[in-house]
Amino acid sequence: MRISTITNWAYGLTLVMTITSGVAFILSSRSAEDERVAVEHLLQLDRLAEDLALGAELRTDEARLFVMRGTPEHLAAFHVAEAQERALAQAIDTAPALGVTPQELELLERVRRDAEALDALEVKAVAAHQAGRTEEAREILFGDAHYAAHLDLIDSVRAFRQTTETRTAAELAARHARSDMYGHVARLSLGMTAAVFLGVLYFILIRRVSQPLRRMTGIVNRLARQDFAVEVPLDGRRDEIGEMTSAIQVFRDNGLERARLDAERRRDLQTKDLILQMMHRLQACEKLDELAEVVSRFLPQLFPHLPGALYVVSNSRMSLAPLGSWLGPRGVVDRFQTRDCWGLRRGRPHAAQDSENDVPCGHVQQDDLPSLCMPLTAQGDTIGLLYLEGRSDDASEVQDARLYLEIIAENLGLAIANLQLRERLMRLAVQDSLTGLLNRRSLDEALHALAQDHPQAPHPAPHPAPHPVLRAAAEAPGQTESPAGEDSGPAGGNGEADARALACLMIDIDHFKRFNDEFGHDAGDVVMQTVAGVIVELVGTAGRAYRFGGEEFTVLMEDTTGAVAWQLAEQIRNRVATTPLTHRGRILGTVTISIGLALSPAGGPVNTLRTRADIALLNAKASGRNRTLGENSRRDTDSPA
């Protein structure tokens, strides 16, 4: 049989039984209502009396605590309790509406009088305590009068409650009997109606409640295990089951959102931690190459979806060169002009998704790349550029990281500026400002370090036979024309032509003071810069060049031979002698130099190397200048000055 048919038959039967039991229900409910009203009146009266008694006790306690402790909190609590007590006393006026008898009303008035008398004593005690009469206040609150007034109030309340309970009990008994009679009739009718409904509700409970609940139980259990991937079926029902399903769906959505926010918070904390680690390492970098390595290692961890590169502004301030890159960016160029970047032009980050919605930077090789150019500044100066690009057409991946990138760019700019300042200061500390060569201080430090690295060797016998190559070089045109049989070779000419040694060249510009007086100090600076340039060009990576002081220069060559050092000295001397000089359109002619050469350990220990080379230089100048002499070459006193 169809459920609709069963429902229709059940409806007809229940309609007849409902009409039959209607009158019984009405009469029974009316009797029950009368009974309920009587009980409510009793409870209200009982509660009113009880509240009066409890309020009096509370007020008494607060008054006593105030008198004993003197704290304003208890005084405030006393006034609150007093106000509540007065409000309850005024509520006695509404007692006639609750069906009280004249006797009960008289008892209520007695309760109010007792409460007011007790209140008057406590107010008097509080006033006495506030006036400084503490003992009087304590006598009032703990005396016989207060105790008697309190007992009178309790007796009045007890008498009132007994009277009302006795009256109400009689009324309730009568009304309860009448209500029971009508109730039996109503229950009989309801029993028959329930029998009909049970059959219908059986199918309703199974089909509409039990099955959905079993299905929802599994879903709720999975949600309790934080498995928010479970799907909640929504069937659009407009009953409690449908509301519960909607609530579970809301809970699931909130759980998914909470999980997303937690994951985002963890990513944010991880990102901040990586940024902090990166900043610490940037502060510890000593070179720009180290800084570039730190950036290339940390930015891929922070933003694995953003390839990029780090550029540094050149000394001319007109171009930028890459210092490092990561994740293989496609838009990176080797070098570009500062005017090619809109970020550098505007002095603020420039983001471009493609050439249609914004102006792309000229240095980006592909216009369709979402890119972000972050200028690196320090103290208002632009010192570099942080370039990043997205891997897809979605520009949001670049914009989402922009806040963190601005923080990184700010710290990165300061770190680069500090390193550049440090390098500049170190360069000024070790370089000569006029020639760009290493200065006297650097020479002393280098010789000291070399003296620590090279063992001391005994000084060779004086005036050994010169090396054949050096003798030939000394007898060449333009060098010292030594008398027959005299030594004009380099220091250390001990017959070991291939011995590896540390060589020192001391170089001095001939007649520089006379040249300086004739053409001026500016021209003299040009001469020293030209000579320094020749020395740097010819020495190259074979050694290090220094400006010793004034017009004197020094060259140190490690792991070389006397022949190689002599040959280099002659190349420098010949190049200087053949280089024409001009200054402000004026021909200065040519200059010559004299060179002294010393070796270590062949000629002596490292700590005397410069002195020995300086002595050889003095011999070369005394022998006529424009020549190279070794430390063991004899001074040619017959040469023209």
Side-chain angles (χ1 to χ4, degrees):
M1 185 176 293
R2 297 175 61 86
I3 296 178
S4 59
T5 304
I6 297 176
T7 304
N8 291 334
W9 278 101
Y11 175 75
L13 292 175
T14 53
L15 180 63
V16 173
M17 288 183 291
T18 300
I19 295 174
T20 303
S21 60
V23 176
F25 267 118
I26 293 173
L27 296 176
S28 177
S29 62
R30 184 174 297 175
S31 298
E33 179 67 20
D34 293 341
E35 185 179 355
R36 184 187 63 78
V37 170
V39 172
E40 286 182 355
H41 289 172
L42 174 63
L43 292 176
Q44 291 178 6
L45 293 172
D46 189 63
R47 186 165 52 251
L48 177 61
E50 185 67 21
D51 289 344
L52 284 170
L54 291 177
E57 291 182 2
L58 177 62
R59 187 185 60 210
T60 300
D61 291 341
E62 295 298 338
R64 288 176 175 177
L65 288 173
F66 173 68
V67 170
M68 295 298 295
R69 300 178 181 176
T71 55
E73 291 84 0
H74 294 299
L75 178 61
F78 169 76
H79 289 309
V80 172
E82 183 182 16
Q84 293 176 350
E85 184 74 9
R86 290 178 179 176
L88 290 173
Q90 293 177 358
I92 294 177
D93 296 336
T94 63
L98 300 178
V100 296
T101 62
Q103 181 184 2
E104 294 171 349
L105 186 59
E106 183 180 353
L107 289 174
L108 276 178
E109 291 294 337
R110 175 184 168 187
V111 169
R112 178 160 57 184
R113 289 194 300 273
D114 292 341
E116 290 175 351
L118 186 63
D119 182 46
L121 290 175
E122 292 169 351
V123 170
K124 180 179 179 181
V126 170
H129 178 73
Q130 289 178 334
R133 301 190 303 276
T134 304
E135 291 299 329
E136 179 184 347
R138 291 181 180 180
E139 179 64 27
I140 295 174
L141 290 176
F142 296 96
D144 295 337
H146 185 276
Y147 180 71
H150 191 267
L151 289 179
D152 291 343
L153 176 61
I154 293 175
D155 292 340
S156 300
V157 171
R158 184 184 300 112
F160 173 75
R161 293 178 68 180
Q162 289 177 352
T163 303
T164 55
E165 288 176 359
T166 301
R167 176 182 59 80
T168 306
E171 292 180 358
L172 288 178
R175 294 175 182 178
H176 185 69
R178 187 168 57 252
S179 178
D180 285 345
M181 180 186 65
Y182 292 123
H184 287 306
V185 177
R187 281 192 293 273
L188 179 62
S189 300
L190 287 176
M192 296 177 64
T193 305
V196 176
F197 270 104
L198 283 177
V200 179
L201 293 178
Y202 173 76
F203 295 101
I204 294 176
L205 287 174
I206 291 178
R207 293 178 177 272
R208 302 292 293 175
V209 177
S210 179
Q211 291 179 354
L213 281 179
R214 285 197 301 268
R215 186 169 60 251
M216 289 297 107
T217 300
I219 296 174
V220 170
N221 289 333
R222 291 182 62 182
L223 292 176
R225 295 191 297 269
Q226 305 297 317
D227 182 11
F228 299 109
V230 61
E231 294 293 335
V232 180
L234 297 177
D235 54 9
R237 294 171 53 174
R238 297 183 179 180
D239 54 12
E240 291 78 7
I241 300 298
E243 293 176 358
M244 182 180 67
T245 304
S246 300
I248 292 174
Q249 177 65 32
V250 172
F251 179 77
R252 172 184 175 271
D253 295 340
N254 291 338
L256 287 173
E257 180 65 16
R258 185 169 58 255
R260 184 188 67 80
L261 293 176
D262 289 342
E264 183 177 342
R265 181 177 59 85
R266 287 192 297 270
R267 287 194 302 270
D268 183 67
L269 291 176
Q270 183 180 7
T271 300
K272 292 179 179 178
D273 182 64
L274 285 173
I275 292 177
L276 184 60
Q277 294 182 36
M278 179 180 173
M279 295 304 107
H280 288 165
R281 284 151 182 79
L282 288 178
Q283 293 174 5
C285 289
E286 295 184 353
K287 298 179 181 179
L288 287 177
D289 293 339
E290 293 179 350
L291 182 142
E293 183 179 1
V294 170
V295 174
S296 299
R297 286 180 181 271
F298 276 88
L299 281 185
Q301 300 180 55
L302 289 167
F303 312 107
H305 55 288
L306 296 180
L310 176 63
Y311 291 89
V312 177
V313 176
S314 63
N315 294 331
S316 64
R317 318 297 295 176
M318 298 300 294
S319 64
L320 292 94
L323 190 61
S325 62
W326 53 92
L327 300 179
R330 294 175 291 171
V332 172
V333 295
D334 291 339
R335 182 177 290 272
F336 63 90
Q337 301 296 315
T338 55
R339 63 175 179 272
D340 293 336
C341 179
W342 282 95
L344 295 178
R345 288 191 193 180
R346 300 163 57 217
R348 57 186 301 178
H350 179 74
Q353 180 178 359
D354 50 49
S355 58
E356 295 181 359
N357 64 3
D358 203 347
V359 181
C361 290
H363 62 88
V364 181
Q365 291 184 342
Q366 299 185 24
D367 294 344
D368 58 344
L369 284 176
S371 61
L372 178 63
C373 295
M374 305 281 294
L376 305 180
T377 60
Q379 302 297 327
D381 292 334
T382 301
I383 60 175
L385 178 71
L386 183 62
Y387 167 77
L388 297 108
E389 63 183 35
R391 292 186 181 272
S392 63
D393 295 336
D394 186 9
S396 62
E397 59 185 6
V398 177
Q399 293 294 336
D400 293 343
R402 183 164 177 173
L403 176 61
Y404 294 121
L405 289 173
E406 290 180 355
I407 298 174
I408 293 174
E410 181 178 355
N411 288 273
L412 189 56
L414 293 175
I416 294 176
N418 290 335
L419 286 179
Q420 289 179 341
L421 178 60
R422 179 178 179 179
E423 291 180 357
R424 191 177 303 115
L425 293 176
M426 292 180 64
R427 189 165 53 251
L428 292 175
V430 300
Q431 283 186 337
D432 175 58
S433 59
L434 177 63
T435 62
L437 300 180
L438 296 173
N439 57 19
R440 171 73 175 273
R441 176 183 177 184
S442 301
L443 174 62
D444 294 339
E445 292 177 353
L447 288 173
H448 178 73
L450 291 170
Q452 301 297 323
D453 296 338
H454 291 74
Q456 301 295 325
H459 197 282
H463 305 297
H467 193 281
V469 176
L470 302 181
R471 177 180 293 278
E475 294 175 355
Q479 295 185 0
T480 303
E481 297 178 1
S482 302
E486 289 190 344
D487 178 16
S488 60
N494 55 7
E496 298 178 2
D498 296 330
R500 312 302 289 184
L502 172 64
C504 176
L505 304 180
M506 290 296 294
I507 305 170
D508 184 77
I509 302 176
D510 296 333
H511 303 296
F512 182 75
K513 184 177 184 304
R514 186 172 61 190
F515 185 92
N516 220 14
D517 294 339
E518 181 180 353
F519 296 102
H521 291 284
D522 291 342
D525 291 345
V526 172
V527 171
M528 283 195 290
Q529 290 171 347
T530 302
V531 173
V534 171
I535 294 173
V536 170
E537 178 184 354
L538 294 179
V539 171
T541 59
R544 288 170 292 178
Y546 304 84
R547 183 184 178 189
F548 183 72
E551 67 273 16
E552 289 188 82
F553 303 92
T554 304
V555 175
L556 291 180
M557 301 173 63
E558 296 184 62
D559 195 23
T560 186
T561 63
V564 173
W566 182 271
Q567 183 180 5
L568 176 63
E570 284 299 286
Q571 288 177 351
I572 295 174
R573 187 182 63 81
N574 291 328
R575 176 69 68 83
V576 172
T578 57
T579 300
L581 299 173
T582 60
H583 176 61
R584 295 181 179 177
R586 183 180 181 185
I587 298 176
L588 304 179
T590 58
V591 297
T592 59
I593 59 175
S594 298
I595 304 176
L597 170 62
L599 299 176
S600 181
V606 176
N607 53 14
T608 64
L609 179 63
R610 183 186 58 77
T611 303
R612 289 184 277 114
D614 200 24
I615 293 173
L617 172 62
L618 293 176
N619 290 336
K621 294 176 71 69
S623 299
R625 294 184 172 84
N626 189 21
R627 65 193 62 226
T628 301
L629 286 183
E631 58 182 316
N632 290 327
S633 299
R634 292 188 299 245
R635 175 174 173 178
D636 186 358
T637 57
D638 297 332
S639 300

